[in-house]
Amino acid sequence: MAEIRKATGFIDWLDQRLAVNKFIKVMMTEYWIPKNINFLWAMGVVLMVLFMVLIVSGIFLLMYYKPDIKLAFDSVNYTIMQEVEYGWLWRHMHGVAASAIFLVIYIHMFTGIYYGSYKKGREVIWLTGMALFGMFSAEAFSGYMLPWGQMSYWAAQVITNLFGGIPVIGDALVIWIRGDFLVADATLTRFFMLHVLLLPLVILLLIAVHFYSLRMPHVNNQDSEEFDFDVESKKYLDGKKVESKVVPFWPVFLSKDFFVVGVALTIFFYLVCFHFDFAMDPINFEPANNMKTPPHIYPEWYFLWSYEVLRGFFFDIAGVPAMKIGLAAFGFANVIFMLLPFLDRNPMHTAPAHKRPAFFIWFWLLLIDMIVLTVYGKLPPTGNNAWVGFGATIVFLALFILLPIITKMEANCKCNNGGCK
Amino acid sequence: MAVEQSRRDFIGMAFGGFAAAGGIIALGAMKKTWDPLPSVQSAGFITVDLSPMKEGEVQTIQWRGKPIFILKKSADMPKNEKRDITTGGSTYAVMIGLCTHLGCIPTWMPATKQFKCACHGGEFDASGINTFGPPPRPMDIPPFKIDGAKLVLGEEGPEYKKLVPKKA
Ligand code: FES
């Protein structure tokens, strides 16, 4: 241990014990960010802020919420909404942030895909990011169920039933997960635990790993330009700030992020105050009733695309029941994004999509297809809707099967505008 | 040196083995903690009196938290030997009213004499057999026993065993 001297001040006192100066350098003032990035790169910070909003509003809701099937509905819809001062604010903030966070996650994710930020040294960022997406999905789903309204109840019924599709142990597994033969009190209390304790802990841990995994390969940039961070940062420290291609995270880069966060929060509070209902399903203002299913069940908007993949196959193929195909497709859709760094077989190429013609088309087709899936996921699955859903599902699966092929062709192509350098 | 090394290895392995055993026991305990409570598992039996039912009428009762459909078939509905219950000269279809797709509750449509599941458009006929859409199999038959004009749910009577081939 180094010798502890008499401190010259509070910071020095801390520095001798916690190496705060070093820490601030590594994390903030000498954490280098490329200059050449646009507002899409601010989404990470926006997500962080939204997550904080969720935690704070969640803590206030937690003080009045009662995880008991007899009390849950009223504790939310009466106590929190009517009695608790500003209870409505916390609830609307929590509900809107839960929805908004998914919108920003999707933007964040598609930015990563567009700029090829998932490969060449950044695979772990992508993997932890997708793991975070999975955890946020579980978090959103377990939270959605807590108000014990009709839609929450049936969403829980349907989603837990999905596990019944697993061969052999399926039926027993569903009962085990629910802790009852149906979604009941035991289910509510365990989901409550997941939502307020276990999943947030896992999410916090994953966020830490996600950030850390960015430290070595550094942030990508708009042109996916490769440069030496050591050389560039040295220029900056030597005072050649204009010439240097990087800026420190704090205070220079964050000042730009703060602006984006400011805009995002303005929109957020506009929604909280004037359009909170977009995150609230009207059917959920009816208490749960296990003897009556609402006529049309759908999840929140951010799950619609995978929900549509699940029900896209509505007829049996070659004797395989439609349900099994649907489940398999659903499983595929949920893991395939994880594998993206390994499906893109153009290992050297991290250029943005507009410099990779085939990939560019692939990217936009994927985005459009997911929007189509989302829209049709909300519509009743009858008549033509069913066929559009089926078609979009096939396109979705096909795109991911094609990806290794087109990226391999791109890697082999020698021409200049074939996407190689 | 070599002796020392192997002694350390042994301590390491012994400790590791001990920890692994403890871990497995703890996992078992965690699994059991998530199991349904005994009070849930022993959910009771229910007796339903069939005599007041009218022909063509569907009655929904709750058993173990699940809806049970009982349909007294009218003359114009096709009978299904393999699934229907006959007692006192009338035929009944009894089934767990949960869609075998993802577990929504289908609704009885008297006009078409079908059960329709609104969730993903599944359809079942009057005996609960899936006729259209994603449901992979007919609606399940709950264990029952016939006691004169009464139906006892939860107990596996001989009539039930006849309908349901031995469970794997
Ligand atoms: S739950 Fe009935 S069709 Fe899907």
Side-chain angles (χ1 to χ4, degrees):
Chain A
M1 194 175 79
E3 192 195 335
I4 301 284
R5 326 163 250 104
K6 185 165 166 32
T8 56
F10 181 59
I11 296 292
D12 186 46
W13 189 88
L14 278 181
D15 192 40
Q16 290 188 50
R17 284 153 185 84
L18 295 174
V20 283
N21 285 338
K22 180 88 195 253
F23 187 74
I24 287 171
K25 269 190 186 174
V26 170
M27 299 305 289
M28 312 280 271
T29 56
E30 291 186 17
Y31 175 25
W32 303 103
I33 308 288
K35 278 181 187 169
N36 184 20
I37 59 181
N38 57 33
F39 78 97
L40 289 169
W41 268 267
M43 293 305 140
V45 175
V46 174
L47 281 175
M48 210 43 224
V49 171
L50 283 176
F51 185 56
M52 245 115 81
V53 168
L54 279 170
I55 291 186
V56 172
S57 55
I59 287 173
F60 283 97
L61 292 173
L62 191 51
M63 292 194 280
Y64 292 96
Y65 175 74
K66 295 201 166 61
D68 177 311
I69 56 171
K70 293 196 201 69
L71 308 172
F73 186 83
D74 283 341
S75 75
V76 175
N77 290 295
Y78 178 70
T79 311
I80 291 174
M81 293 301 282
Q82 315 275 326
E83 283 199 296
V84 178
E85 281 200 68
Y86 290 98
W88 58 270
L89 178 67
W90 304 121
R91 187 190 184 192
H92 290 162
M93 279 172 69
H94 205 70
V96 173
S99 213
I101 211 166
F102 273 92
L103 180 64
V104 184
I105 286 178
Y106 283 127
I107 298 176
H108 196 54
M109 212 169 118
F110 276 91
T111 306
I113 298 178
Y114 189 91
Y115 289 102
S117 303
Y118 52 89
K119 52 183 185 172
K120 212 175 170 204
R122 297 196 180 87
E123 293 91 342
V124 180
I125 308 173
W126 181 260
L127 290 174
T128 51
M130 286 313 297
L132 269 170
F133 177 74
M135 286 301 118
F136 268 113
S137 301
E139 179 71 6
F141 167 61
S142 57
Y144 189 56
M145 164 173 179
L146 300 185
W148 210 243
Q150 262 296 63
M151 206 48 135
S152 329
Y153 182 86
W154 288 95
Q157 186 89 321
V158 168
I159 301 288
T160 48
N161 233 325
L162 282 181
F163 293 93
I166 298 173
V168 190
I169 54 163
D171 289 340
L173 187 64
V174 171
I175 293 177
W176 184 73
I177 290 174
R178 291 176 181 166
D180 202 326
F181 298 107
L182 71 164
V183 173
D185 201 52
T187 327
L188 178 65
T189 47
R190 65 186 55 179
F191 275 51
F192 175 68
M193 176 283 290
L194 288 175
H195 186 71
V196 304
L197 178 73
L198 189 56
L199 294 173
L201 274 183
V202 174
I203 287 176
L204 284 170
L205 189 79
L206 276 172
I207 289 178
V209 181
H210 192 59
F211 283 0
Y212 177 64
S213 58
L214 196 58
R215 198 65 183 75
M216 297 300 149
H218 283 281
V219 176
N220 192 10
N221 57 69
Q222 267 189 79
D223 299 318
S224 298
E225 190 189 340
E226 302 271 353
F227 49 76
D228 191 329
F229 276 84
D230 294 332
V231 174
E232 298 301 326
S233 58
K234 185 145 186 319
K235 281 189 205 157
Y236 190 92
L237 289 175
D238 289 348
K240 289 183 265 178
K241 296 189 181 178
V242 180
E243 204 180 300
S244 170
K245 288 185 172 153
V246 295
V247 290
F249 184 65
W250 172 270
V252 185
F253 179 72
L254 265 187
S255 63
K256 188 174 163 186
D257 268 15
F258 283 151
F259 174 73
V260 180
V261 169
V263 173
L265 283 184
T266 309
I267 301 171
F268 173 73
F269 278 104
Y270 170 75
L271 290 174
V272 168
C273 297
F274 300 103
H275 286 290
F276 50 83
D277 48 328
F278 91 96
M280 309 255 159
D281 196 288
I283 299 175
N284 231 7
F285 289 93
E286 217 177 286
N289 178 352
N290 65 326
M291 296 299 278
K292 184 173 150 268
T293 316
H296 175 200
I297 295 192
Y298 43 81
E300 287 290 270
W301 71 267
Y302 39 85
F303 292 142
L304 285 172
W305 68 271
S306 62
Y307 180 69
E308 185 65 9
V309 169
L310 172 71
R311 64 180 197 178
F313 292 95
F314 57 93
F315 46 83
D316 301 0
I317 296 173
V320 187
M323 185 191 174
K324 299 262 168 193
I325 310 176
L327 269 177
F330 179 72
F332 178 87
N334 281 292
V335 297
I336 201 66
F337 275 102
M338 271 253 175
L339 302 178
L340 205 57
F342 314 103
L343 291 176
D344 189 332
R345 305 270 304 280
N346 193 347
M348 292 312 294
H349 218 56
T350 51
H354 56 262
K355 292 191 184 153
R356 305 169 64 188
F359 184 76
F360 186 72
I361 296 169
W362 183 89
F363 174 86
W364 287 108
L365 278 181
L366 177 68
L367 192 61
I368 293 166
D369 191 53
M370 285 182 68
I371 292 171
V372 170
L373 284 170
T374 301
V375 171
Y376 279 83
K378 183 97 187 197
L379 301 173
T382 42
N384 282 342
N385 290 354
W387 286 104
V388 175
F390 174 71
T393 303
I394 294 289
V395 171
F396 181 85
L397 300 181
L399 279 173
F400 278 96
I401 294 169
L402 281 178
L403 183 62
I405 303 171
I406 59 169
T407 47
K408 188 85 205 166
M409 276 161 46
E410 181 186 85
N412 291 339
C413 157
K414 292 280 171 285
C415 52
N416 230 354
N417 50 9
C420 6
K421 283 185 192 158
Chain B
M1 201 48 205
V3 173
E4 186 101 316
Q5 190 62 46
S6 66
R7 191 179 291 165
R8 287 226 173 114
D9 284 352
F10 176 76
I11 293 175
M13 282 189 299
F15 181 75
F18 202 68
I24 289 169
I25 294 171
L27 277 182
M30 288 177 191
K31 192 258 164 206
K32 290 269 175 193
T33 304
W34 270 56
D35 274 342
L37 301 175
S39 55
V40 168
Q41 269 162 339
S42 65
F45 304 97
I46 285 190
T47 308
V48 194
D49 188 0
L50 297 174
S51 42
M53 282 189 74
K54 285 196 270 322
E55 282 195 355
E57 180 198 39
V58 174
Q59 188 186 356
T60 309
I61 55 155
Q62 195 174 349
W63 167 76
R64 287 191 185 170
K66 293 179 188 165
I68 305 291
F69 295 154
I70 306 176
L71 164 68
K72 183 167 185 175
K73 289 201 167 172
S74 52
D76 58 337
M77 289 181 199
K79 313 265 178 299
N80 186 330
E81 245 63 319
K82 293 205 186 71
R83 293 181 55 91
D84 294 351
I85 305 170
T86 316
T87 173
S90 334
T91 313
Y92 301 88
V94 176
M95 62 204 97
I96 298 180
L98 294 175
C99 178
T100 48
H101 180 218
L102 291 177
C104 298
I105 303 181
T107 337
W108 173 245
M109 302 275 162
T112 52
K113 302 201 168 48
Q114 272 181 325
F115 291 98
K116 267 195 95 123
C117 177
C119 296
H120 316 96
E123 287 174 10
F124 301 85
D125 71 8
S127 303
I129 295 187
N130 50 320
T131 50
F132 175 82
R137 57 169 204 278
M139 284 192 252
D140 295 326
I141 299 178
F144 66 88
K145 197 184 84 174
I146 295 176
D147 182 8
K150 294 205 177 72
L151 184 72
V152 183
L153 287 170
E155 204 175 317
E156 299 193 2
E159 302 84 355
Y160 170 76
K161 296 213 173 100
K162 227 174 38 207
L163 295 184
V164 182
K166 260 181 215 71
K167 280 224 184 98

